[in-house]
């Protein structure tokens, strides 16, 4: 069985986790789950980086010992990872004995192999925020070039690592292994950084105590990055039985944020080369979550707390948002609006409604039992090709770290299934006993497409995928299935569905933003139209009369001109449980294609009429402009198709 070892960076314990940390770990978890579905034996490691000056200072500022601070913060990581449904196999803390022994062993290998370590004096700039040394030339107004943290002047005795010696071997490794650093733009940055020359690296510190003491010279403690990077092998019992180390090293992927790529793609491979340890197969860097165009970080005070998001949104919604919204490798801006939009549009409207609509149709027509598709599926007409395309897109995309693109391929299947139902009109088929077989295959295909969708979304939304399968009557968890081969038709006819709670509840955007206090201020809203004088002759109606009018949300799925009538359009309007054809006099303002996909308000209980020989079953609401042209009434955000408008 092939093996797959994926790691996250280990997180500093100076503060609680934020959404940036959660992102790296969610991506690693998604990769771990995906590779398990590919039948690989996966080892997924995360943990905490507990030594260093930053932790020592933070603890002192809080009146704690460093280990007391680490013990407290590590609990928050454990709790958050549990809440986010992480499936890591191990969690390493750098204060653990197995780690410290591993660091000493790695260092011992380096010293025993040559003269890569020597004693000298470090004179220069140190950034405590990054726990990194910077050359004079890179300091900008007393701040580090990467993150703008204040730097301090250091002058201390230090052990050095002969990094300069590894410039050529590293460049050769990058050239021989083009997939060692991903994405390519980052790879180019590293190549040019290394090409411009490498200075030896200070490997020990003497001005504070919170670290692993140097063997034979305990005045010195290990530079925190040497200590931290070693976690990827120390967790595999590198200094113990080495069982896991033999099975899983070299790692397949070290997943990191772009800010720490240099440590992983330059220092770490150089240390490993010096110790004669094989190099990891790849280092994959993602971008940053930004808030107001700045990196989200505790020191800037602009962080999003994952726990507070999880109080309001389901774990699956948060995971989906993180994976869908960020184009992997690039930066992305976090916004509450975008998260709500993903929840309401992609999850509740597109997928959630499709599930409830399909299950309802199965209940109404087949007593809640999956019908036999029989041999009636006309070749190439069913949903199998769309499902195969989604499967290819998802598997291919995930292998390339294009999670966002992969998920949009899956959503193409969701749309295709929605469209299929609209076009096949199962509610009409149900009314015609002679077409029962056709109804059977239409609903079978829709249900089977949902089974495939459940499997494809399971690495990202494990709970919703399990619940979706449960509602389809499947006892198994998609996590136990295989993604190695596309299979169509695994949903057994005769399966009894188990319709349940809606999978993706809608979020009330207004209420949510108002509670957070981030709603658009009144002054920024468009000016309210000037009220016309009330027409005193207009008779008032009471609420009961108004209630007689059934207004419903409809989605235009098709539109075309009515021949010989300049102003008329023929629209197909999806109401969730049926599709209505209506005729509307709006062609002077709207091109047919501009209407497709729009959500409108439909007077649903208007008596049918025949206009120019075409049946119209409803009327859409619109306002008349000064030229007498109609502007349709629509919604300022996506709403549930079929919902009542009051
Ligand atoms: N302790 C080091 C890593 C040592 S690995 C041997 C460290 N820790 S960290 O807690 O500061 O950051 C850990 C990870 O979180 C990094 O990959 C970093 O890129 C990521 N993120 C922190 N803020 C982030 C965003 N705003 N957006 C996305 N990820 C970012 O560095």
């Amino acid at each position: 069985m092939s093996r797959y070892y994926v790691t996250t960076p280990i997180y500093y314990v100076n503060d609680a986790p934020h959404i940036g940390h959660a992102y790296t770990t969610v991506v690693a978890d998604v990769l771990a789950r995906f590779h398990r579905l590919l039948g690989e034996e996966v080892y997924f490691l995360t943990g905490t980086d507990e030594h260093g000056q930053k932790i020592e200072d933070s603890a002192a500022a809080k009146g704690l010992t460093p280990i007391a601070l680490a013990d407290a913060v590590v609990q928050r990581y454990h709790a958050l990872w549990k809440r986010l449904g992480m499936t890591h196999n191990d969690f390493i803390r750098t204060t653990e004995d197995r780690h410290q022994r591993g660091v000493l062993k790695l260092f011992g290998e380096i010293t025993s192999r040559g003269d890569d370590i020597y004693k000298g004096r470090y004179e220069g700039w140190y950034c405590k925020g990054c726990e990194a040394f910077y050359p004079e030339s890179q300091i900008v107004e007393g701040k580090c070039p990467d993150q703008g943290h204040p730097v301090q002047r250091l002058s201390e005795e230090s052990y050095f690592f002969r990094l300069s010696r590894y410039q050529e071997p590293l460049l050769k490794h990058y050239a021989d292994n083009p997939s060692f650093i991903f994405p390519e733009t980052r790879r180019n940055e590293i190549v040019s950084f290394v090409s411009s020359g490498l200075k030896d690296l200070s490997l020990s510190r003497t001005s504070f105590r919170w670290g692993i003491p140097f063997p034979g010279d305990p005045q010195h403690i290990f530079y925190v990055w040497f200590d931290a990077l070693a976690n990827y092998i120390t967790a595999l019992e590198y200094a113990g039985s080495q069982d896991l180390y033999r099975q899983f090293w070299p790692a397949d992927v070290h997943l990191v944020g772009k800010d720490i790529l240099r440590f992983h793609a330059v220092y770490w491979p150089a240390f490993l080369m010096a110790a004669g340890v094989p190099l990891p197969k790849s280092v994959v860097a993602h971008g940053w979550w930004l808030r107001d165009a700045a990196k989200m970080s505790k020191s800037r005070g602009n962080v999003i707390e994952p726990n507070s998001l999880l109080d309001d949104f389901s774990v699956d919604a948060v995971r989906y948002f993180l994976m869908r919204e960020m184009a992997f490798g690039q930066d992305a801006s976090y916004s509450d609006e975008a998260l709500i939009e993903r929840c309401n549009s992609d999850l509740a409207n597109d997928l959630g409604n499709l599930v409830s609509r399909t299950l309802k149709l199965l209940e109404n027509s087949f007593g809640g039992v999956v019908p036999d598709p029989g041999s009636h599926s006309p070749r190439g007409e069913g949903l199998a090709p769309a499902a195969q395309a989604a499967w290819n897109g998802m598997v291919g995309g995930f292998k390339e770290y294009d999670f966002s693109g992969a998920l949009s391929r899956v959503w193409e299947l969701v749309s295709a299934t929605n469209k299929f139902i609209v076009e096949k009109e199962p509610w009409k088929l149900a009314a015609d006993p002679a077409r029962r077989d056709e109804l059977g295959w239409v609903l079978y295909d829709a249900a089977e497409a949902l089974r495939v969708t459940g499997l494809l979304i399971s690495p990202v939304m494990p709970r919703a995928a399990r619940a979706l399968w449960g509602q389809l009557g499947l006892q198994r968890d998609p996590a136990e299935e295989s993604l190695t081969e596309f299979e169509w038709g695994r949903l057994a006819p005769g399966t009894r569905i188990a319709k349940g709670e809606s999978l993706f509840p809608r979020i009330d955007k207004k209420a949510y933003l108002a509670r957070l206090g981030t709603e658009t201020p009144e002054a920024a809203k468009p000016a309210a139209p000037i009220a016309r004088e009330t027409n005193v002759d207009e008779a008032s109606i009471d609420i009961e009369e108004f209630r007689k009018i059934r207004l419903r949300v409809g989605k235009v799925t098709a539109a075309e001109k009515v021949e010989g009538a300049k102003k008329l359009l023929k629209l197909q309007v999806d109401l969730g449980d049926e599709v209505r054809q209506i005729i509307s006099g709006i062609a002077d303002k709207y091109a047919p294609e501009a209407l497709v996909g729009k959500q409108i308000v439909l007077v649903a209980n208007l008596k049918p009429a025949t206009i120019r020989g075409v049946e119209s079953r409803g009327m859409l609401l619109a306002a008349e402009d000064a030229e007498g042209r109609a502007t349709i009434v629509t919604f300022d955000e996506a709403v549930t198709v079929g919902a009542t408008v009051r």
Side-chain angles (χ1 to χ4, degrees):
M1 188 192 273
S2 75
R3 298 203 167 95
Y4 183 79
Y5 179 29
V6 55
T7 67
T8 72
I10 48 172
Y11 301 98
Y12 288 130
V13 287
N14 57 319
D15 234 319
H18 63 67
I19 203 79
H21 307 126
Y23 175 71
T24 319
T25 318
V26 168
V27 175
D29 185 64
V30 167
L31 283 171
R33 288 174 181 270
F34 172 63
H35 282 269
R36 286 189 199 109
L37 287 177
L38 291 179
E40 293 167 28
E41 193 180 341
V42 170
Y43 205 77
F44 164 20
L45 175 70
T46 188
T48 40
D49 189 351
E50 305 190 355
H51 289 133
Q53 194 173 356
K54 181 153 72 175
I55 313 294
E56 188 176 279
D57 290 0
S58 291
K62 292 183 168 86
L64 294 171
T65 59
I67 192 67
L69 174 65
D71 284 346
V73 175
V74 88
Q75 291 314 324
R76 303 183 69 163
Y77 274 96
H78 282 306
L80 179 62
W81 295 162
K82 189 160 181 220
R83 232 180 146 186
L84 278 168
M86 297 305 169
T87 55
H88 46 283
N89 299 80
D90 196 358
F91 187 107
I92 181 124
R93 300 180 57 178
T94 54
T95 46
E96 284 174 62
D97 187 49
R98 59 171 172 160
H99 174 73
Q100 310 207 15
R101 280 188 287 111
V103 169
L104 295 179
K105 181 173 159 89
L106 181 67
F107 184 69
E109 287 295 333
I110 297 175
T111 48
S112 69
R113 282 167 174 263
D115 61 350
D116 276 339
I117 306 290
Y118 64 94
K119 203 168 178 177
R121 194 170 181 82
Y122 179 78
E123 291 253 11
W125 296 101
Y126 191 73
C127 170
K128 196 177 64 177
C130 305
E131 298 279 20
F133 303 92
Y134 288 101
E136 176 87 41
S137 58
Q138 287 187 16
I139 304 300
V140 192
E141 293 169 3
K143 305 261 171 66
C144 80
D146 289 342
Q147 310 231 30
H149 298 133
V151 291
Q152 60 188 121
R153 186 84 195 160
L154 281 191
S155 170
E156 56 186 44
E157 188 188 68
S158 177
Y159 285 92
F160 282 84
F161 173 69
R162 249 183 252 283
L163 184 62
S164 53
R165 190 179 262 174
Y166 289 90
Q167 179 176 354
E168 287 314 315
L170 283 169
L171 289 173
K172 182 173 181 328
H173 187 76
Y174 305 147
D176 293 347
N177 301 275
S179 55
F180 180 64
I181 302 169
F182 183 88
E184 206 182 330
T185 47
R186 301 274 165 234
R187 178 173 179 272
N188 297 341
E189 284 168 18
I190 293 292
V191 169
S192 78
F193 172 78
V194 174
S195 305
S196 68
L198 291 175
K199 284 210 161 60
D200 290 350
L201 181 70
S202 170
L203 212 61
S204 73
R205 301 287 312 275
T206 53
S207 51
F208 70 103
R209 299 301 322 140
W210 186 233
I212 303 175
F214 241 60
D217 199 350
Q219 279 297 96
H220 290 254
I221 55 168
F222 275 98
Y223 171 43
V224 66
W225 273 100
F226 184 84
D227 168 344
L229 287 160
N231 90 88
Y232 301 127
I233 55 174
T234 64
L236 299 179
E237 301 295 345
Y238 170 68
S241 68
Q242 288 211 345
D243 284 351
L244 288 167
Y245 175 75
R246 273 191 292 271
Q247 287 179 60
F248 289 102
W249 191 259
D252 292 84
V253 184
H254 288 322
L255 195 66
V256 299
K258 64 179 183 182
D259 48 326
I260 59 171
L261 179 60
R262 182 167 32 110
F263 301 94
H264 286 80
V266 182
Y267 300 174
W268 178 228
F271 297 154
L272 292 173
M273 283 176 181
V277 173
L279 305 198
K281 291 181 206 156
S282 68
V283 183
V284 170
H286 63 72
W288 285 339
W289 281 97
L290 308 175
R291 197 99 215 258
D292 309 322
K295 180 183 179 226
M296 214 184 270
S297 73
K298 244 333 205 274
S299 51
R300 286 196 186 87
N302 61 354
V303 299
I304 300 293
E305 302 282 356
N307 277 307
S308 60
L309 281 191
L310 290 167
D311 291 340
D312 292 296
F313 299 87
S314 72
V315 50
D316 285 306
V318 172
R319 289 172 63 110
Y320 174 76
F321 171 75
L322 292 175
M323 301 304 293
R324 179 71 182 83
E325 194 70 13
M326 182 179 260
F328 189 86
Q330 291 164 30
D331 292 346
S333 276
Y334 173 87
S335 86
D336 296 319
E337 281 87 352
L339 170 56
I340 296 170
E341 185 61 25
R342 289 277 174 213
C343 283
N344 288 351
S345 177
D346 300 11
L347 299 181
N349 277 5
D350 294 348
L351 181 55
N353 281 349
L354 174 63
V355 173
S356 45
R357 164 195 246 188
T358 306
L359 296 181
K360 200 164 156 202
L361 287 163
L362 280 169
E363 230 167 36
N364 293 348
S365 304
F366 291 97
V369 173
V370 175
D372 193 329
S375 51
H376 295 274
S377 167
R379 227 170 247 283
E381 241 202 72
L383 287 169
Q388 166 96 65
W391 187 91
N392 290 345
M394 184 269 182
V395 174
F398 272 41
K399 285 185 175 165
E400 298 284 311
Y401 305 100
D402 178 14
F403 305 106
S404 184
L407 287 168
S408 45
R409 296 293 89 73
V410 179
W411 254 254
E412 281 167 16
L413 172 61
V414 172
S415 305
T417 311
N418 267 318
K419 190 162 165 261
F420 180 73
I421 292 182
V422 168
E423 283 174 4
K424 298 293 171 204
E425 303 184 305
W427 44 90
K428 275 199 186 156
L429 299 177
D432 183 352
R435 300 181 77 186
R436 195 153 173 82
D437 284 354
E438 201 178 337
L439 177 66
W441 82 257
V442 166
L443 293 188
Y444 179 86
D445 266 32
E448 172 63 358
L450 285 176
R451 183 193 67 82
V452 175
T453 304
L455 178 59
L456 297 181
I457 63 172
S458 67
V460 177
M461 294 190 280
R463 293 186 195 181
R466 176 78 194 89
L468 167 54
W469 272 34
Q471 297 201 4
L472 287 173
L474 297 167
Q475 304 302 320
R476 297 185 312 277
D477 187 329
E480 286 148 22
E481 290 295 300
S482 164
L483 262 186
T484 45
E485 244 172 85
F486 172 69
E487 284 177 286
W488 178 257
R490 298 259 329 254
L491 182 61
T495 305
R496 176 162 291 281
I497 61 164
K499 202 160 167 277
E501 300 259 293
S502 116
L503 291 178
F504 302 107
R506 292 182 60 75
I507 305 293
D508 182 339
K509 181 168 165 183
K510 267 213 147 122
Y512 179 76
L513 297 182
R515 195 155 52 73
L516 293 186
T518 54
E519 205 186 3
T520 320
E522 240 5 84
K525 286 188 180 158
I530 300 161
R532 290 212 197 135
E533 227 178 283
T534 321
N535 183 345
V536 285
D537 291 338
E538 238 164 29
S540 306
I541 58 164
D542 63 29
I543 188 79
E544 287 315 315
E545 276 176 283
F546 173 72
R547 283 211 181 111
K548 285 188 198 153
I549 304 172
R550 272 208 80 203
L551 299 176
R552 290 183 73 194
V553 179
K555 187 170 178 178
V556 180
T557 55
E560 59 183 282
K561 294 209 154 155
V562 174
E563 244 175 82
K566 253 174 83 199
K567 267 191 94 170
L568 298 185
L569 288 182
K570 180 166 87 174
L571 308 178
Q572 305 301 326
V573 180
D574 181 10
L575 291 177
D577 47 5
E578 61 170 315
V579 175
R580 292 277 188 94
Q581 174 173 294
I582 66 164
I583 302 296
S584 192
I586 52 176
D588 51 349
K589 173 119 179 192
Y590 294 94
E593 57 278 10
L595 288 167
V596 176
K598 276 218 185 321
Q599 292 195 319
I600 53 136
V601 179
L602 188 85
V603 184
N605 57 345
L606 199 66
K607 281 204 180 99
T610 304
I611 304 168
R612 299 274 177 123
V614 190
E615 190 189 36
S616 179
R617 295 173 56 232
M619 179 178 87
L620 59 70
L621 294 190
E624 215 170 73
D625 68 14
E627 282 95 51
R629 295 184 314 168
T631 298
I632 61 169
V633 174
T634 180
F635 298 89
D636 70 347
E637 61 173 285
V639 285
T640 308
V641 171
T644 302
V645 180
R646 282 192 292 239

